[in-house]
Amino acid sequence: MRYISQRRHSGFDWISKAVLPVVLPNFLWLSCWPVLLASINYYPLSYVTASALFGFFSFLNLQVVNGMEIYSMKIDSKVTSRFAHNVITSRAVNRGNVSKEVFFDVELPKTAFITNFSMTIDGVTYPGTIKEKEAAKKQYEKAVSRGQTAGLVKASGRKTEKFTVSVNIKAASKVTFELSYEELLKRQFGKYEMFIKVKPKQLVKDFEIEVDIFEPQGITELEAEGTFITNELQNTIKKTFSGKKGHISFKPTLAQQRRCASCSESVLDGDFTVRYDVKRTTPDNLQIVNGYFVHFFAPTNLPKLSKNIIFVLDTSGSMSGREIEQTKEAMLKILDDIKEDDFFNFILFDSEISTWKETLIKATPENLDEARKFVRQISAQGLTNLHGGLMRGIDILNAAHEENLVPKRSASIIIMLTDGQPNVGVSNTQEIEKAVKKAIDGRYTLYNLGFGSGVDYGFLERMALENKGLARRIYPDSDTALQLQGFYDEVSNPMLIDVELNYPENEISDLTTNNFKHFYDGSEIVVAGRFVDSNQNHLCVDVRGEGVSMDFFDLSEQTAQAFQEQQYIFGEYIERLWAYLTIEQLLEKRITATGEEKENLTAQALALSLKYKFVTPLTSMVVTKPEENGNEERIADKPTEGIDIFTIVLPSTSQLLSRAAPRAFQVPVFDGDPHFIISVPQKKDAICFNINENPGMILNLINDPVTGITVNGELIGDKRPNSDAKIQNSYFGKLGIANKHLDVKLTVTPESITIENGDEKTGFTWLDSVTLQQAGLTLIINRKKNLVLSMGSGASFVVVLHQVWKKHPLHQDFLGLYTLKSDKLSEQTHGLLGQFFRPIDFTILEIHPGSDPKKPDATMIVKNNELTVTRGWQKDYRRDPTHGVDIPCWFVHDNGAGLIDGIHTDYIVSSLF
């Protein structure tokens, strides 16, 4: 399985030496590898991912090695009434004399649904079929039981998810990949936007992007631009629009792609963006085709409503450092944008709840200056009383309305930001959801922003949807402040509240959502439905919404006409738009539903997904691959929000394990026999090694002389030696974690947890559920699962308990260690793990068959050493503490020799403390 993270990087250094300098845009990664990789469970390839991706375009990249020629790549997009139908076609030929494995990778918008995939090899087409997820899973398990590799790599980036398939191509054979997907474009800031990340790695003979737009209302503006566009390339972008139709093409020749006449490098490197909007002579537009209708509502020139906004901010200890500074930076910029007619306040929550003011405050220049001073002095410490923070914010809004402190016609909004999970006060998420929903009672909109991967995103999303809002993940990165400000910009200009679009009940069935809490400037409301009489071609609509100067915004629509411009219309596009929107909303309602209601919503969404052949979270696409030993089946699923590879989102309290260090750092862990895994985000890859020592040995894992933190671990073995094994299994059976500055020691075994603070000693077992704060230490014990420890500077660790069957003849319980907030440790940190808190670079060269045909060997250049490494996998237990998740990595042999500083025996110490 190929793993990715969300940061961009240049890829493995060795690629540039092995790959011909050919150009392609970052729409598709089509890469060719030796056939020896075909049987392993993932593909050891690092690749570039897109940054934020809007609109309907996918993100592609192309790599070619050893005889495979990609001679054509075309992206054909047809947009009709905001609904986009996209087809990506790539053609390659194997000009070598042996079989090659070719990969087809596409990153799609998360809001898109795949509708079709096929690959044609030497004239024979192998189609994908869409099935219910459970049925597809059975085929998957059957393939796995036969020892075949099954499953398509899938991962979520900020706004994208990945579709991947690979196939072996015989010498002189040709292959054509074709992928189709559909999406409804959403309007933001007054325009529909399509974004393409262009970062060519090769020159391609026939590369083309074609976009045809048909908008019955008429197109008023159409833009296409690229950050990489030179004067010569400017003429390559062909843009025309007139009346209802628009067309854009981008087809650079080989000469135009070159950085210079004699260069093999491409000039195409940056962002390519298409934006357009439509004519709005009336506030809305109604379109009818073959018994289905779609209604677009986007009135213009309305006066803006004032807003009452409460910022509820997490200031617990886990927010310390970069996170709190970026939050403060964003808040200061947001304060610059708040209008004088608005009212606002700040609520801060950690172990305690604090407010800036006791009531909502008008945004006068004087009050804004005072707010800026307040924001600048915000600091982070303590635990996470999320419930208390939200309830205080709701109480302030309630009081403001009851006491008429705010205008009667105004939009009330709560924006809550957190990076963790509630662990003090009311910490049961179901209780919090019920309390918040009851307190808001439909009067206000709640937006939940989840900072990083330590949040329970499902909880935040459910709570937001129950209160007419939405949840958004904020990614810890250099642009975090811009992400926060960007979200605020989306919701900062309410124009109408309580918008309803009403239709004659006796004429319409299967209507999508038709009531909305807010309409924001520059956005658009979309409602679709089906007529009872499929021959009906007219409809009267009553639209109502409360604005600043009127009780109701009211209109009736005239007869709508069907459309005949078939060149720009694909199939039953309004019917498919209705199905897409219906499925999307059913899945959203399903998030907050329970019991029979949830079962009914699931059944409806599944039936529509199968009927209209959409890959949704309820369906999977089964792709049958031709292989030498018979056909092989792969499964393509719709990923769920928030799962990526090096920052793994866990269920319930286990999600505390996923707060990985910032992306600029490796994430070193140990777990298992003892397996050390160093994930390297800038390489989108991982390095792993084992330490083979006798039970009873104690190893120094982390030693930071500046913060005073040390972590040592004692090895245990199996209950009895395995006479057939050359190397005996060993695990960590005892951990000693100390902070000499705080005079605190923590001893952890599979049976107990002991804290020593000076002469005081406190003991717990793994049967306890504990939240403890003392002497600068915060300890959370999640019963029989894990413990989370934060010490002094903010450095945090998670210890995972692995329990085995008590009567197991061989194995015994053991521990795993995961690091959180490793950037809180100093640059002088060392130890078997600690040395990897600093960035590490490596290069992979000369991949070749190893002693195990399923695990190729390669040469790694690291720390000026040339090592022989093997592609393998290790278990990461953060997501699944019971079974673990296979993480692909380059395995360094001989106890990490050449990778670790010195030799492994240098890290043997005499005692835990």
Side-chain angles (χ1 to χ4, degrees):
M1 188 176 293
R2 187 180 293 159
Y3 282 81
I4 68 169
S5 68
Q6 295 149 350
R7 292 173 63 88
R8 290 181 288 174
H9 66 98
S10 59
F12 283 145
D13 294 338
W14 67 270
I15 287 178
S16 62
K17 301 176 183 179
V19 178
L20 295 175
V22 189
V23 173
L24 252 195
N26 280 348
F27 276 104
L28 166 78
W29 192 329
L30 180 61
S31 55
C32 313
W33 284 81
V35 70
L36 64 96
L37 300 182
S39 59
I40 64 175
N41 290 332
Y42 47 82
Y43 304 112
L45 189 59
S46 172
Y47 48 90
V48 184
T49 60
S51 58
L53 179 63
F54 303 95
F56 64 88
F57 273 113
S58 57
F59 162 61
L60 302 90
N61 188 8
L62 182 70
Q63 297 290 349
V64 181
V65 296
N66 297 335
M68 288 298 300
E69 177 189 344
I70 289 80
Y71 58 89
S72 177
M73 172 86 45
K74 293 189 177 182
I75 302 93
D76 180 64
S77 298
K78 284 185 167 56
V79 185
T80 301
S81 298
R82 291 73 149 169
F83 195 59
H85 176 78
N86 314 291
V87 180
I88 301 169
T89 307
S90 181
R91 294 180 172 87
V93 58
N94 182 1
R95 300 204 183 280
N97 53 14
V98 296
S99 294
K100 306 290 182 184
E101 187 167 32
V102 62
F103 290 78
F104 178 80
D105 291 356
V106 181
E107 285 201 30
L108 309 172
K110 287 182 178 179
T111 51
F113 291 155
I114 291 173
T115 58
N116 192 35
F117 172 77
S118 67
M119 51 189 170
T120 302
I121 303 172
D122 291 336
V124 180
T125 298
Y126 302 88
T129 57
I130 295 175
K131 298 186 176 184
E132 181 180 359
K133 190 177 289 289
E134 285 303 311
K137 184 180 178 182
K138 291 178 181 178
Q139 289 185 253
Y140 170 91
E141 292 170 346
K142 183 178 179 181
V144 171
S145 69
R146 295 195 300 261
Q148 297 174 331
T149 55
L152 297 183
V153 178
K154 51 191 180 296
S156 295
R158 287 192 183 181
K159 294 182 181 293
T160 60
E161 58 199 27
K162 181 168 290 297
F163 173 92
T164 300
V165 69
S166 66
V167 65
N168 287 315
I169 303 298
K170 296 179 180 179
S173 291
K174 292 183 178 181
V175 59
T176 298
F177 296 103
E178 184 173 287
L179 177 71
S180 301
Y181 63 96
E182 294 176 348
E183 181 189 16
L184 177 63
L185 301 185
K186 293 177 174 60
R187 187 171 183 254
Q188 281 187 333
F189 306 116
K191 293 180 182 178
Y192 308 95
E193 183 175 84
M194 299 169 278
F195 175 86
I196 307 165
K197 186 69 179 178
V198 179
K199 190 176 178 65
K201 292 203 175 271
Q202 304 168 9
L203 305 169
V204 102
K205 182 179 178 182
D206 184 14
F207 171 73
E208 185 175 12
I209 301 171
E210 291 265 7
V211 182
D212 287 309
I213 302 171
F214 175 71
E215 289 290 350
Q217 291 172 260
I219 298 172
T220 58
E221 55 182 317
L222 178 62
E223 306 169 2
E225 61 183 18
T227 58
F228 54 85
I229 297 298
T230 62
N231 290 335
E232 183 179 358
L233 276 178
Q234 189 66 53
N235 296 327
T236 308
I237 302 175
K238 305 298 183 182
K239 178 190 71 173
T240 60
F241 73 96
S242 177
K244 302 175 183 180
K245 301 175 183 179
H247 179 78
I248 288 176
S249 68
F250 180 57
K251 189 176 181 180
T253 65
L254 288 175
Q256 289 170 325
Q257 294 174 39
R258 298 183 190 276
R259 191 169 294 276
C260 64
S262 59
C263 292
S264 58
E265 296 179 351
S266 170
V267 71
L268 307 180
D269 186 358
D271 302 337
F272 186 85
T273 306
V274 175
R275 299 183 186 91
Y276 79 93
D277 199 15
V278 301
K279 185 182 299 183
R280 301 180 193 280
T281 56
T282 61
D284 63 349
N285 178 260
L286 185 68
Q287 301 174 20
I288 299 172
V289 174
N290 295 338
Y292 290 83
F293 77 90
V294 60
H295 186 195
F296 300 104
F297 178 69
T300 57
N301 301 320
L302 293 176
K304 290 182 174 61
L305 285 170
S306 63
K307 59 184 178 294
N308 316 307
I309 187 164
I310 299 277
F311 298 99
V312 182
L313 306 179
D314 184 346
T315 56
S316 62
S318 59
M319 284 285 291
S320 63
R322 189 186 192 195
E323 286 89 341
I324 199 67
E325 292 305 317
Q326 290 176 320
T327 301
K328 289 159 65 174
E329 178 187 350
M331 289 299 108
L332 290 171
K333 291 179 180 177
I334 287 170
L335 285 172
D336 291 339
D337 293 334
I338 289 182
K339 309 295 189 299
E340 192 165 354
D341 290 336
D342 294 339
F343 290 76
F344 72 106
N345 202 346
F346 289 99
I347 312 295
L348 310 181
F349 65 91
D350 43 59
S351 300
E352 305 295 332
I353 309 301
S354 59
T355 62
W356 172 50
K357 300 290 184 181
E358 292 305 311
T359 63
L360 279 173
I361 299 297
K362 192 171 185 180
T364 64
E366 296 77 17
N367 287 336
L368 288 171
D369 284 340
E370 187 179 346
R372 292 183 184 97
K373 294 176 183 177
F374 174 79
V375 167
R376 291 189 182 101
Q377 58 83 39
I378 292 175
S379 60
Q381 61 181 359
L383 299 177
T384 309
N385 190 351
L386 184 149
H387 170 265
L390 277 174
M391 296 305 291
R392 180 72 61 85
I394 296 168
D395 288 344
I396 289 176
L397 273 176
N398 286 341
H401 283 277
E402 290 168 3
E403 297 169 16
N404 295 318
L405 298 178
V406 297
K408 182 179 179 181
R409 292 191 178 93
S410 57
S412 294
I413 299 168
I414 301 172
I415 297 179
M416 192 273 289
L417 170 70
T418 182
D419 79 330
Q421 299 179 57
N423 53 27
V424 68
V426 179
S427 58
N428 183 291
T429 55
Q430 291 183 342
E431 291 181 15
I432 295 174
E433 287 178 44
K434 291 178 181 177
V436 169
K437 184 177 181 180
K438 181 178 179 181
I440 289 179
D441 194 26
R443 292 169 293 180
Y444 320 130
T445 301
L446 173 63
Y447 295 107
N448 289 329
L449 306 182
F451 198 138
S453 59
V455 296
D456 183 342
Y457 190 84
F459 158 60
L460 297 182
E461 185 174 38
R462 287 192 305 273
M463 188 163 55
L465 291 173
E466 286 175 338
N467 295 284
K468 301 185 182 298
L470 56 84
R472 178 76 57 84
R473 189 176 294 282
I474 302 297
Y475 295 89
D477 213 331
S478 59
D479 68 341
T480 294
L482 292 176
Q483 295 177 56
L484 291 170
Q485 188 181 8
F487 176 81
Y488 173 78
D489 290 342
E490 291 180 39
V491 299
S492 62
N493 291 310
M495 312 296 284
L496 295 170
I497 58 176
D498 297 326
V499 181
E500 292 186 9
L501 296 90
N502 299 308
Y503 309 87
E505 293 183 3
N506 61 338
E507 296 179 7
I508 300 299
S509 66
D510 300 319
L511 189 67
T512 62
T513 299
N514 66 327
N515 58 83
F516 305 85
K517 185 62 180 176
H518 293 139
F519 168 74
Y520 292 104
D521 189 25
S523 68
E524 183 174 66
I525 288 174
V526 183
V527 179
R530 182 168 60 179
F531 287 108
V532 173
D533 179 0
S534 60
N535 295 316
Q536 183 169 332
N537 65 356
H538 67 279
L539 183 66
C540 292
V541 185
D542 179 46
V543 182
R544 299 184 175 221
E546 191 171 343
V548 69
S549 60
M550 63 195 81
D551 289 332
F552 293 103
F553 183 88
D554 194 353
L555 63 90
S556 293
E557 180 62 45
Q558 292 91 19
T559 301
Q561 299 297 324
F563 309 114
Q564 303 299 326
E565 292 91 338
Q566 290 302 316
Q567 177 185 353
Y568 284 79
I569 295 176
F570 52 91
E572 305 294 332
Y573 77 97
I574 287 187
E575 181 179 352
R576 295 191 65 81
L577 185 158
W578 165 81
Y580 170 95
L581 198 57
T582 300
I583 293 169
E584 187 178 61
Q585 293 174 358
L586 287 170
L587 293 173
E588 186 176 275
K589 292 176 182 177
R590 182 173 170 265
I591 293 171
T592 59
T594 58
E596 185 177 350
E597 181 189 6
K598 186 169 186 175
E599 291 178 3
N600 291 336
L601 292 169
T602 301
Q604 293 175 56
L606 174 60
L608 287 173
S609 300
L610 293 172
K611 178 179 178 179
Y612 291 96
K613 301 188 184 305
F614 286 134
V615 177
T616 71
L618 303 176
T619 56
S620 296
M621 176 176 286
V622 180
V623 182
T624 302
K625 292 174 46 180
E627 298 292 345
E628 292 182 1
N629 297 323
N631 288 344
E632 175 182 333
E633 290 165 344
R634 298 285 183 104
I635 309 299
D637 288 336
K638 179 82 173 170
T640 54
E641 163 63 31
I643 296 179
D644 73 24
I645 302 312
F646 294 116
T647 307
I648 300 175
V649 180
L650 304 167
S652 65
T653 56
S654 300
Q655 288 192 336
L656 290 166
L657 310 183
S658 67
R659 291 192 204 170
R663 298 302 180 95
F665 293 82
Q666 285 81 240
V667 184
V669 303
F670 74 72
D671 214 337
D673 174 28
H675 302 313
F676 293 79
I677 308 172
I678 315 301
S679 68
V680 187
Q682 61 267 34
K683 291 290 188 182
K684 305 220 192 294
D685 209 338
I687 304 173
C688 49
F689 62 96
N690 286 354
I691 297 296
N692 301 307
E693 269 297 341
N694 295 322
M697 286 293 182
I698 300 173
L699 300 172
N700 173 242
L701 304 172
I702 299 170
N703 180 27
D704 182 3
V706 176
T707 63
I709 292 176
T710 61
V711 181
N712 296 326
E714 181 177 336
L715 297 177
I716 59 173
D718 287 331
K719 293 177 180 177
R720 56 181 176 81
N722 183 352
S723 58
D724 296 328
K726 295 181 180 179
I727 299 176
Q728 299 299 318
N729 293 329
S730 59
Y731 313 87
F732 282 101
K734 184 183 290 187
L735 293 175
I737 305 174
N739 188 320
K740 67 179 182 181
H741 297 334
L742 300 177
D743 193 21
V744 172
K745 298 177 181 177
L746 184 79
T747 304
V748 186
T749 72
E751 293 78 34
S752 64
I753 302 103
T754 304
I755 303 174
E756 296 180 61
N757 184 7
D759 296 330
E760 297 182 11
K761 183 179 290 188
T762 307
F764 304 97
T765 73
W766 285 100
L767 296 177
D768 295 320
S769 292
V770 175
T771 298
L772 175 70
Q773 280 188 303
Q774 67 177 48
L777 174 147
T778 301
L779 174 68
I780 302 172
I781 300 175
N782 296 307
R783 186 175 184 270
K784 297 176 72 173
K785 292 181 179 179
N786 58 74
L787 67 82
V788 184
L789 175 69
S790 298
M791 306 180 72
S793 67
S796 303
F797 309 95
V798 173
V799 179
V800 178
L801 173 65
H802 296 287
Q803 292 183 307
V804 301
W805 180 42
K806 294 301 181 186
K807 296 183 180 180
H808 196 288
L810 201 60
H811 303 314
Q812 55 182 324
D813 297 347
F814 64 96
L815 304 171
L817 177 73
Y818 295 80
T819 58
L820 312 179
K821 303 284 184 181
S822 61
D823 58 319
K824 304 300 182 183
L825 297 170
S826 77
E827 293 185 358
Q828 299 180 39
T829 303
H830 209 264
L832 272 173
L833 280 180
Q835 63 188 288
F836 296 107
F837 292 155
R838 298 183 296 276
I840 186 173
D841 194 20
F842 64 90
T843 301
I844 297 294
L845 303 170
E846 302 169 359
I847 297 179
H848 57 276
S851 57
D852 185 339
K854 296 183 179 180
K855 299 178 180 179
D857 286 348
T859 298
M860 173 183 286
I861 307 299
V862 60
K863 294 184 177 180
N864 294 320
N865 296 320
E866 187 173 310
L867 311 177
T868 297
V869 294
T870 301
R871 193 62 175 178
W873 56 87
Q874 301 283 25
K875 290 287 188 184
D876 184 323
Y877 291 91
R878 287 177 292 181
R879 183 179 179 189
D880 183 347
T882 303
H883 304 99
V885 175
D886 285 332
I887 297 293
C889 59
W890 292 106
F891 184 81
V892 179
H893 301 272
D894 301 324
N895 295 298
L899 172 66
I900 64 174
D901 295 337
I903 58 176
H904 79 281
T905 54
D906 295 339
Y907 300 88
I908 296 176
V909 294
S910 58
S911 66
L912 278 180
F913 300 108

